[in-house]
Amino acid sequence: MNPLPITSWAVLGLLSFGRELSGYDLKKWADQSLGFFYWSPSYSQIYSELRRLESVGYAASEEVAGDIRAKRLYRITPVGEDALRAWARETPVEPVVLKHGPMLRLWLGHLQDPERLREMLLAQRELAEKRRVEAETDVAAAESTPEWAFPTLTLRWAARYYAAERDRIDAMLADLADLACDLGDADADRPPFSR
Amino acid sequence: MNPLPITSWAVLGLLSFGRELSGYDLKKWADQSLGFFYWSPSYSQIYSELRRLESVGYAASEEVAGDIRAKRLYRITPVGEDALRAWARETPVEPVVLKHGPMLRLWLGHLQDPERLREMLLAQRELAEKRRVEAETDVAAAESTPEWAFPTLTLRWAARYYAAERDRIDAMLADLADLACDLGDADADRPPFSR
DNA sequence: CGTTGCATGTAAGGTGTTACATGATTAC
DNA sequence: GTAATCATGTAACACCTTACATGCAACG
């Protein structure tokens, strides 16, 4: 049997805080926790990961007649706890992956209208600020509960991350403005493809 | 025909700076440019993207007897330039994707030995600092050449990014130390799974 | 009474990885 | 002479997403 993908462990991790949750709720919660520093898997993947976790005995589920409609609630099993702990302790840490779409566009700035680049950065700035506020409010909600100590740490990290992202965009906007001046000066030797 | 994946455009972007390059060289260069803010595709993917780009007429190649050994050098075609420019201008910007392995581990800190977490963060700190220095030296090498104006901007951004990453880890180490004190105080109500 | 949200999936398909293969050359 | 690097690939396969399907309940 191949080792489980990281996503599996992440989903099992969501269950390791001692609550029983449906796939739907798991996704919602993943968006607000995992989503800040790891990515949040799609619904369909959450459901299939849950089935996989159940098939290897790391999770168990039961059909529950909810307030309105039947749900399938998943919980972590003792075997699953052991496996997750072993994974967290013994597996080499995954390298950080960053795919920064806006920077890719900037890197190819010689193909673009400088004004469009500026607009793109401003939009990105707004997004980062929104995420920052989200993380900040989530910190405030979580920091009083001792069980959430570690999630609170990562939320605090996320708030700093998105604040820094916002500031870097400001710095980039300034650099871009400088660059526009320089290019304005030396009209003769434009970079390639700038027509 | 489906739209090309972003990786294709990234590889075509590497070719858009007016040089003829082999797949091998492209990968090396990708590690030092794209790798800082986007991820660097594997060799095998670079080769297959190059074949795809050639098949749609965006790139052309020729076998060249290099200094030592035969190489296949790729260059962008005029059609490819137009397509790349159109992509850069008209396609919605890809959202930022972050998959921060170390934060995932920290989020599950209740399963871990705090000392191990500290070690992990220190290792991560060193890595960020190394990347920062790399980006910084690459900035110094590129900033004098006007064609590299935009790549220089992104390298400068990367240098700031990795500096901020390093500082965030320091802040996290401090938070973690505070947390250890709090937990030491309240021995009675340990978080779940901390045995 | 139509649309939105809840809740759970299935199917198809592309993306991107690892592992492997090859052969020639440089370095120790 | 044998290890590592250059240089180019192929094959298999896992991962993950989008699109689609369903059926009920609440909201206006």
Side-chain angles (χ1 to χ4, degrees), chain A residues 2 14 22 26 69 100 102 159 166 172:
Chain A
N2 287 331
L14 283 168
S22 68
L26 239 17
R69 190 185 294 92
H100 205 294
R166 179 200 55 198
M172 178 62 97

mmCIF file of all heavy atoms in Angstrom, chain A residues 2 14 22 26 69 100 102 159 166 172:
data_model
loop_
_atom_site.group_PDB
_atom_site.id
_atom_site.type_symbol
_atom_site.label_atom_id
_atom_site.label_comp_id
_atom_site.label_asym_id
_atom_site.label_seq_id
_atom_site.Cartn_x
_atom_site.Cartn_y
_atom_site.Cartn_z
ATOM 1 N N ASN A 2 0.567 2.154 -0.901
ATOM 2 C CA ASN A 2 1.315 3.425 -0.930
ATOM 3 C C ASN A 2 1.016 4.262 0.299
ATOM 4 O O ASN A 2 -0.046 4.138 0.888
ATOM 5 C CB ASN A 2 0.921 4.214 -2.179
ATOM 6 C CG ASN A 2 1.520 3.604 -3.434
ATOM 7 O OD1 ASN A 2 2.582 2.986 -3.377
ATOM 8 N ND2 ASN A 2 0.841 3.761 -4.540
ATOM 9 N N LEU A 14 -7.838 17.572 10.580
ATOM 10 C CA LEU A 14 -9.056 18.326 10.906
ATOM 11 C C LEU A 14 -9.903 17.556 11.908
ATOM 12 O O LEU A 14 -10.536 18.145 12.788
ATOM 13 C CB LEU A 14 -9.878 18.582 9.637
ATOM 14 C CG LEU A 14 -9.394 19.694 8.698
ATOM 15 C CD1 LEU A 14 -10.138 19.611 7.372
ATOM 16 C CD2 LEU A 14 -9.593 21.056 9.326
ATOM 17 N N SER A 22 -19.255 16.474 9.298
ATOM 18 C CA SER A 22 -19.620 16.000 7.962
ATOM 19 C C SER A 22 -18.594 16.516 6.952
ATOM 20 O O SER A 22 -17.831 17.449 7.220
ATOM 21 C CB SER A 22 -20.995 16.529 7.590
ATOM 22 O OG SER A 22 -20.952 17.931 7.420
ATOM 23 N N LEU A 26 -16.508 19.962 7.072
ATOM 24 C CA LEU A 26 -15.052 19.853 7.008
ATOM 25 C C LEU A 26 -14.489 20.819 5.966
ATOM 26 O O LEU A 26 -13.488 21.504 6.200
ATOM 27 C CB LEU A 26 -14.687 18.415 6.656
ATOM 28 C CG LEU A 26 -13.820 17.543 7.574
ATOM 29 C CD1 LEU A 26 -13.717 18.068 8.977
ATOM 30 C CD2 LEU A 26 -14.286 16.114 7.558
ATOM 31 N N ARG A 69 -31.787 17.176 7.863
ATOM 32 C CA ARG A 69 -31.551 16.188 6.828
ATOM 33 C C ARG A 69 -30.481 15.240 7.345
ATOM 34 O O ARG A 69 -29.731 15.553 8.264
ATOM 35 C CB ARG A 69 -31.019 16.919 5.598
ATOM 36 C CG ARG A 69 -30.928 16.123 4.345
ATOM 37 C CD ARG A 69 -30.268 16.945 3.288
ATOM 38 N NE ARG A 69 -31.088 18.098 2.892
ATOM 39 C CZ ARG A 69 -31.015 19.309 3.421
ATOM 40 N NH1 ARG A 69 -30.148 19.567 4.370
ATOM 41 N NH2 ARG A 69 -31.768 20.269 2.994
ATOM 42 N N HIS A 100 2.871 31.979 -7.257
ATOM 43 C CA HIS A 100 2.380 33.340 -7.156
ATOM 44 C C HIS A 100 2.040 33.869 -8.540
ATOM 45 O O HIS A 100 2.878 34.443 -9.230
ATOM 46 C CB HIS A 100 3.431 34.210 -6.471
ATOM 47 C CG HIS A 100 2.853 35.425 -5.799
ATOM 48 N ND1 HIS A 100 2.265 36.436 -6.498
ATOM 49 C CD2 HIS A 100 2.755 35.778 -4.498
ATOM 50 C CE1 HIS A 100 1.861 37.377 -5.655
ATOM 51 N NE2 HIS A 100 2.140 36.991 -4.433
ATOM 52 N N PRO A 102 0.353 36.488 -9.695
ATOM 53 C CA PRO A 102 0.661 37.885 -10.006
ATOM 54 C C PRO A 102 2.142 38.130 -10.276
ATOM 55 O O PRO A 102 2.483 38.918 -11.165
ATOM 56 C CB PRO A 102 0.205 38.608 -8.736
ATOM 57 C CG PRO A 102 -0.889 37.766 -8.192
ATOM 58 C CD PRO A 102 -0.505 36.356 -8.485
ATOM 59 N N ALA A 159 -1.841 35.881 9.695
ATOM 60 C CA ALA A 159 -2.111 37.317 9.740
ATOM 61 C C ALA A 159 -0.844 38.098 9.398
ATOM 62 O O ALA A 159 -0.885 39.061 8.619
ATOM 63 C CB ALA A 159 -2.622 37.713 11.126
ATOM 64 N N ARG A 166 0.828 42.281 1.710
ATOM 65 C CA ARG A 166 0.295 43.599 1.375
ATOM 66 C C ARG A 166 1.427 44.634 1.282
ATOM 67 O O ARG A 166 1.533 45.377 0.303
ATOM 68 C CB ARG A 166 -0.698 44.008 2.463
ATOM 69 C CG ARG A 166 -1.330 45.357 2.309
ATOM 70 C CD ARG A 166 -1.870 45.824 3.645
ATOM 71 N NE ARG A 166 -0.820 45.819 4.670
ATOM 72 C CZ ARG A 166 -1.010 45.846 5.970
ATOM 73 N NH1 ARG A 166 -2.238 45.866 6.446
ATOM 74 N NH2 ARG A 166 -0.009 45.837 6.825
ATOM 75 N N MET A 172 6.482 46.902 -4.219
ATOM 76 C CA MET A 172 6.549 46.588 -5.638
ATOM 77 C C MET A 172 5.965 47.715 -6.479
ATOM 78 O O MET A 172 6.505 48.068 -7.528
ATOM 79 C CB MET A 172 5.781 45.283 -5.880
ATOM 80 C CG MET A 172 5.718 44.851 -7.309
ATOM 81 S SD MET A 172 7.330 44.506 -8.033
ATOM 82 C CE MET A 172 7.388 42.734 -7.852
#
